[in-house]
Amino acid sequence: MILTANAKLNLYLDITGVRDDGYHTVEMVMQSVTLSDIVEVRIADGDSISLSCDAPHIPSDERNIAYKAAKLYLEAAGISADISIDIQKRIPSGAGMGGGSADAAAVLYALDKHFGSVPQDRLYSIALAIGADVPFCLSGGTKVCTGIGEKMRDAYAVSGCCFLVVMPDFTCPTGAAYARYDAA
């Protein structure tokens, strides 16, 4: 199965607090955009997970959240399979656009489409266990998100406009951005 894993933009973001586990609570509006990675998922009989990516700085092992998505889905469904994931990166890394989360959501979608073994509420629980943006990337659209981003409600759809994304020659991973906020 070949899927497009769409990036997201935060159109609005307010940090409303910090939980005991270190996650920040937020109120934000997230928007899916057409910029996307291409994720190919191949499924066969067996019991292994492999991942490749055309971006050398992206890990191709269990550190990759797309790999984690496959592992957690198989565990939740109580099944085994050979899962091969190939990612063609187009979403800039370290830009806050949810590239890794989108890839993980694409893997969850592909596996659920193939196996159909996990109820939707459980699928979203798996997505949240992988990362705070994965549930949004699984649903997409325009959403108001609260909590750590997992509580979503539809927002008025943004349409008929374009966004210009300018990527500087440095990255700002999400964890580092929140750490700088906390330091200030």
Side-chain angles (χ1 to χ4, degrees):
M1 193 176 301
I2 299 174
L3 303 135
T4 56
N6 293 73
K8 58 92 178 168
L9 295 178
N10 288 11
L11 302 180
Y12 165 80
L13 186 143
D14 184 22
I15 298 172
T16 58
V18 181
R19 299 184 337 176
D20 291 340
D21 62 5
Y23 272 98
H24 292 77
T25 56
V26 295
E27 179 179 277
M28 60 188 161
V29 176
M30 290 203 280
Q31 172 69 51
S32 296
V33 295
T34 56
L35 176 63
S36 61
D37 290 345
I38 305 300
V39 179
E40 183 176 354
V41 179
R42 292 180 296 286
I43 303 166
D45 292 336
D47 189 20
S48 68
I49 301 170
S50 64
L51 187 142
S52 63
C53 182
D54 65 351
H57 64 283
I58 302 293
S60 292
D61 55 21
E62 63 276 351
R63 294 172 295 160
N64 189 298
I65 66 172
Y67 184 104
K68 290 177 186 176
K71 182 178 181 188
L72 289 176
Y73 183 91
L74 294 174
E75 288 172 359
I79 55 179
S80 62
D82 268 348
I83 308 297
S84 176
I85 304 163
D86 181 56
I87 301 171
Q88 296 175 29
K89 290 300 291 177
R90 303 296 175 261
I91 302 169
S93 299
M97 297 183 72
S101 296
D103 298 342
V107 169
L108 289 176
Y109 176 85
L111 296 178
D112 199 55
K113 193 78 166 162
H114 181 81
F115 294 111
S117 304
V118 176
Q120 187 166 352
D121 62 331
R122 181 69 179 120
L123 188 63
Y124 277 86
S125 294
I126 296 166
L128 181 58
I130 297 163
D133 286 344
V134 181
F136 172 78
C137 292
L138 193 57
S139 66
T142 308
K143 304 263 193 265
V144 174
C145 303
T146 57
I148 61 170
E150 83 285 10
K151 297 173 187 167
M152 299 178 287
R153 69 179 191 276
D154 289 334
Y156 184 75
V158 175
S159 62
C161 63
C162 294
F163 297 97
L164 173 64
V165 176
V166 177
M167 184 67 189
D169 62 355
F170 61 88
T171 63
C172 185
T174 303
Y178 280 114
R180 292 193 79 175
Y181 172 85
D182 290 343

